[in-house]
Amino acid sequence: MSLSIRNQIPGTVTAVTPGEVMATVKVRLTGGQEITAAITLESVEELGLTAGTAVRALVKSTEVSLATAPVQGLSIRNQLPGTITDIATGDAMASVKVAVEGGELTSAITRDAATDLGLTTGASVVALIKSTEVSLATA
């Protein structure tokens, strides 16, 4: 199956914490970082997710925010440090590619945000992704 979601990073499930309807799933990405996905318990069961399951973490580029440094006092758990490898700007939006350990993320942000943050190729950034915006797929 082909998907329009550009951000597809491989990893392995390290833990599943079920709730009544939702579950949190911790995934160790191939680069060693850990991210958390908040998905339905039904999805956990249908995908057969347990510790050791190989998955791909899927995130739409519009759901990847950028910061110029790690952010404290924030509910967003997934903060992946990286380096900007490319920026394409249009009249309203910018597409920013960020190399992270074990993969690459694309962030779609406003051109104004890219300008205000002073984003340039080679700059260090932190990709911020809410756990509710991370989907998981199995092979």
Side-chain angles (χ1 to χ4, degrees):
M1 168 182 6
S2 296
L3 296 173
S4 65
I5 297 175
R6 288 182 254 178
N7 298 316
Q8 301 182 28
I9 305 214
T12 304
V13 173
T14 59
V16 177
T17 304
E20 290 186 28
V21 177
M22 300 287 291
T24 57
V25 181
K26 293 200 181 294
V27 176
R28 172 127 1 244
L29 302 178
T30 57
Q33 317 92 315
E34 187 169 87
I35 65 166
T36 300
I39 62 175
T40 65
L41 190 55
E42 182 179 1
S43 292
V44 168
E45 293 166 356
E46 287 177 0
L47 293 171
L49 299 179
T50 60
T53 303
V55 295
R56 284 195 169 275
L58 310 171
V59 183
K60 290 175 59 176
S61 60
T62 53
E63 301 303 332
V64 178
S65 297
L66 297 176
T68 56
V71 182
Q72 301 294 319
L74 186 66
S75 66
I76 297 175
R77 301 290 87 190
N78 299 316
Q79 297 191 31
L80 303 175
T83 303
I84 296 174
T85 59
D86 187 49
I87 301 175
T89 56
D91 290 338
M93 298 296 291
S95 176
V96 183
K97 292 189 183 218
V98 178
V100 297
E101 290 293 326
E104 181 178 73
L105 291 171
T106 299
S107 174
I109 60 174
T110 65
R111 180 181 179 159
D112 289 345
T115 300
D116 290 349
L117 292 172
L119 301 182
T120 59
T121 300
S124 294
V125 292
V126 177
L128 306 167
I129 308 164
K130 289 180 64 171
S131 60
T132 53
E133 300 303 332
V134 178
S135 296
L136 298 176
T138 55

